[in-house]
Amino acid sequence: MTVSLARAHGTPCPTAVLDARTLPASEPELLARLTELRSALADHGAADVLKNALVQPSRHPLFDLDYRFVQSMPDRLDSFDLRGSCGHSILAAVEAAARTGMIQPLVAGCRVRVNVLNNGDNVVCEAEETSDGGTRFTAHFLCSPPRPVDELLITGEPVTGIRFDGRTVPVSLVSMGNPYLFVNAAELGVRTVEELFADDPALFDKMTRLRLAVCRARGWDTTGAFPKVAALLPDGPGALAVRAISVPSWHPTVALTGATCLAAGAAVEGTIPHLLSGAADQPENGMLALRTPGATVRASARTTGGPHDRRLAWISVAEKQVDYRGHFLPTPTSQELSWLPQTA
């Protein structure tokens, strides 16, 4: 088993990138191997690595890389969620694949086309700048052919009422890259950006319980990682303040798929991202600024068609830096794996 570690800036943890060609095809055997990997990483002080990217050269002529994401759940070493994806892990996977010779070396301007096996996403990772330590990317999430924006709404409506703490809370459920739950932070008692970005256990608890309330209302698994949840406040024309939760804590910024989903949601009239960002008063296909506790992320959604036939063509998120942490060669012993760092 070949394993590399890479980390995108603004993510909660590095991603373990594995060569899928060296892994079992059956799910039970695959998860057993990933459990061994988690144990080995934990033994070497890397128990915080909760993201796994399984990659191999794509057999599809339109793609360079096949990618499958597996989320490690924090409750047990053998607990995983195979649904959904992780945009930052896609970039980490491209970085590691280029460093290990699976794909061509990255140079400024080159593009790597990624086939996301979890959900069928088509992602193009464009290298903006490369260095010895990593790469800065722009990620493009493509819809080919352009997708009616109404299809992005999980419930078929821009706002859905969820019973929560004895009242009905309006939320928007949007799926682009990953399923997301968006709520106006004011509905949770938050009035300012400073309050939104504070390390407030009460807000964390409310957002967690609201996510579970949505899962129960929709009949979804309450033990998994999806949908993700983010609370929003308006932050000026074309801008949102965003506080998101990642497994198992606050997200330091916002997930790449979260930025993608917010840009998609802002393009759909009547959703909470659309209403709070003032998208109706902004130029069509303009940039959306997402202010988070750790950084401001900029995303843009390209749509086509008229008001009654709007379709999403692509979403771009720029200036995403990924650092390569190194290549590790597991050496199996009689009972366990040991790890020999090959590079720093």
Side-chain angles (χ1 to χ4, degrees):
M1 182 162 53
T2 303
V3 185
S4 300
L5 293 179
R7 181 170 190 167
H9 288 197
T11 58
C13 70
T15 295
V17 184
L18 298 87
D19 187 335
R21 296 170 296 184
T22 67
L23 296 172
S26 76
E27 189 169 302
E29 293 179 1
L30 170 64
L31 297 184
R33 293 288 293 276
L34 292 179
T35 301
E36 291 179 359
L37 171 63
R38 290 187 70 181
S39 298
L41 288 170
D43 289 344
H44 288 74
D48 64 323
V49 178
L50 298 177
K51 296 178 182 294
N52 308 280
L54 284 50
V55 295
Q56 63 182 346
S58 181
R59 296 178 179 176
H60 195 296
L62 296 181
F63 296 98
D64 301 295
L65 204 61
D66 283 348
Y67 159 94
R68 185 183 186 190
F69 177 69
V70 180
Q71 175 74 55
S72 298
M73 301 301 290
D75 54 338
R76 302 188 318 272
L77 287 177
D78 63 348
S79 180
F80 301 93
D81 192 333
L82 286 78
R83 304 168 299 162
S85 180
C86 172
H88 284 128
S89 293
I90 293 174
L91 299 181
V94 170
E95 178 71 18
R99 297 276 180 170
T100 57
M102 185 178 289
I103 59 174
Q104 74 276 13
L106 299 176
V107 296
C110 77
R111 296 183 175 94
V112 179
R113 304 160 298 176
V114 180
N115 181 24
V116 183
L117 301 180
N118 302 76
N119 55 18
D121 274 357
N122 177 352
V123 181
V124 176
C125 303
E126 180 179 0
E128 298 177 9
E129 183 178 348
T130 62
S131 66
D132 290 342
T135 304
R136 191 178 71 227
F137 292 96
T138 292
H140 307 279
F141 289 73
L142 310 182
C143 296
S144 181
R147 184 178 176 189
V149 295
D150 291 347
E151 292 184 2
L152 306 173
L153 304 176
I154 296 173
T155 59
E157 53 189 3
V159 173
T160 298
I162 296 295
R163 292 295 298 170
F164 178 69
D165 281 357
R167 61 193 179 94
T168 298
V169 174
V171 303
S172 291
L173 292 164
V174 182
S175 183
M176 178 65 197
N178 270 330
Y180 256 85
L181 152 65
F182 297 124
V183 60
N184 186 340
E187 295 286 348
L188 305 179
V190 176
R191 300 297 174 185
T192 68
V193 174
E194 289 73 22
E195 291 178 7
L196 182 65
F197 289 173
D199 185 14
D200 182 355
L203 176 60
F204 186 93
D205 176 69
K206 286 180 183 177
M207 291 173 63
T208 300
R209 290 191 295 107
L210 178 61
R211 192 186 79 83
L212 294 176
V214 168
C215 287
R216 285 190 286 268
R218 300 292 301 172
W220 295 338
D221 180 10
T222 58
T223 63
F226 304 100
K228 303 285 190 177
V229 57
L232 314 175
L233 283 178
D235 196 40
L240 291 169
V242 183
R243 196 72 197 270
I245 289 178
S246 179
V247 176
S249 59
W250 290 117
H251 198 293
T253 56
V254 63
L256 183 54
T257 53
T260 303
C261 219
L262 276 166
V268 184
E269 185 174 351
T271 66
I272 290 170
H274 179 269
L275 297 172
L276 296 183
S277 67
D281 300 323
Q282 298 302 307
E284 197 170 292
N285 300 317
M287 188 74 71
L288 178 67
L290 305 171
R291 180 153 69 113
T292 76
T296 295
V297 179
R298 302 185 188 283
S300 61
R302 173 69 179 181
T303 58
T304 62
H308 304 293
D309 185 31
R310 189 169 301 282
R311 293 170 180 265
L312 179 66
W314 72 79
I315 293 173
S316 299
V317 184
E319 299 178 344
K320 301 302 297 184
Q321 177 69 35
V322 176
D323 295 337
Y324 185 62
R325 293 291 182 85
H327 175 204
F328 294 81
L329 178 64
T331 302
T333 63
S334 58
Q335 297 295 325
E336 62 182 5
L337 297 174
S338 61
W339 298 81
L340 301 176
Q342 300 297 293
T343 62

